[in-house]
């Protein structure tokens, strides 16, 4: 199976989970946690943009977003290794949410990848509607809530092509929103 086919199957499965969860109770749902997500900049943590609910399921970690005031379009969406959204200095310059560290990668995967490969913190792309809202349900099949407790949930300025070329880490760029799980 090609990575593109696997990603397509994951997206279809995620859509199926989202529809099923909204219409019928799911006896397989386990632990759940709401994470406040705030805007971030080099100056610090800003206004709350909404919440993300993380819920264990038999298929993996279900991620339900209820976010506003984001730039429309696709955004890189990841779990980062440290539970902080504070700015930090790199190369003499303050950068937004840099204290969150890099992508959650406890298995030392050599490359960034899609939610079925690469870093464990690589999540599906977050698509934001034209009105700046993101109310979507996504699935991280390799994660459970206990795996990510105390880590950071990060939204990047740009999309994510699930590769390290032409830009590193999918090309998501600046960190624009963050929440501590």
């Amino acid at each position: 199976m090609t990575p593109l086919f696997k990603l397509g199957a994951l997206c279809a499965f995620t859509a199926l989970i989202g529809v099923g969860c909204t219409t019928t109770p799911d006896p397989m749902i386990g632990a759940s946690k709401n994470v406040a997500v705030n805007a971030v900049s080099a100056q610090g943590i800003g206004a709350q943009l909404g919440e993300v609910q993380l819920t264990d399921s038999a298929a993996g970690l279900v991620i339900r977003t209820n976010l506003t005031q984001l730039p429309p379009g696709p955004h890189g969406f990841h779990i980062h290794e440290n539970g902080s959204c504070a700015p930090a200095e790199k190369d003499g310059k303050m950068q937004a949410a840099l204290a969150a560290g890099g992508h959650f990668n406890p298995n030392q995967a050599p490359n960034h990848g899609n939610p079925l490969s690469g870093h464990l913190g690589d999540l599906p792309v977050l698509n934001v509607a034209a009105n700046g809202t993101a109310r979507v349900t996504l699935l991280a099949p390799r994660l459970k809530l206990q795996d990510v407790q105390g880590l950071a949930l990060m939204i990047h300025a740009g999309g994510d092509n699930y590769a390290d070329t032409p830009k590193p880490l999918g090309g998501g760029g600046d960190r624009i929103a963050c929440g501590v799980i």
Side-chain angles (χ1 to χ4, degrees):
M1 270 193 279
T2 67
L4 188 55
F5 176 80
K6 288 180 186 178
L7 184 58
L10 174 66
C11 290
F13 183 70
T14 299
L16 182 62
I17 291 269
V19 169
C21 290
T22 59
T23 59
T24 60
D26 184 352
M28 299 305 292
I29 290 180
S32 182
K33 181 166 187 165
N34 289 340
V35 178
V37 175
N38 293 70
V40 292
S41 70
Q43 291 71 44
I45 300 168
Q48 185 170 332
L49 304 176
E51 288 188 338
V52 173
Q53 181 185 53
L54 305 175
T55 306
D56 282 331
S57 78
L61 189 63
V62 177
I63 304 162
R64 288 183 185 88
T65 67
N66 186 11
L67 302 167
T68 62
Q69 301 175 30
L70 290 168
H75 294 273
F77 195 37
H78 307 104
I79 305 289
H80 282 243
E81 63 190 345
N82 302 323
S84 175
C85 295
E89 188 176 325
K90 180 178 180 183
D91 299 328
K93 184 179 176 186
M94 294 301 286
Q95 295 186 15
L98 196 62
H103 293 181
F104 178 56
N105 188 21
N107 298 336
Q108 302 302 310
N111 298 307
H112 173 64
N114 66 51
L116 298 173
S117 66
H119 307 146
L120 279 179
D122 294 336
L123 301 176
V125 168
L126 179 66
N127 286 302
V128 177
N131 66 0
T133 62
R135 291 184 177 90
V136 297
T137 300
L138 306 168
L139 179 68
R142 301 184 297 157
L143 292 174
K144 293 182 176 145
L145 184 55
Q146 70 181 10
D147 299 332
V148 298
Q149 288 281 5
L151 305 182
L153 184 65
M154 192 71 62
I155 300 171
H156 293 268
D160 189 339
N161 69 0
Y162 300 118
D164 287 319
T165 58
K167 293 184 179 179
L169 300 173
D174 293 339
R175 300 165 185 207
I176 62 169
C178 179
V180 175
I181 302 168

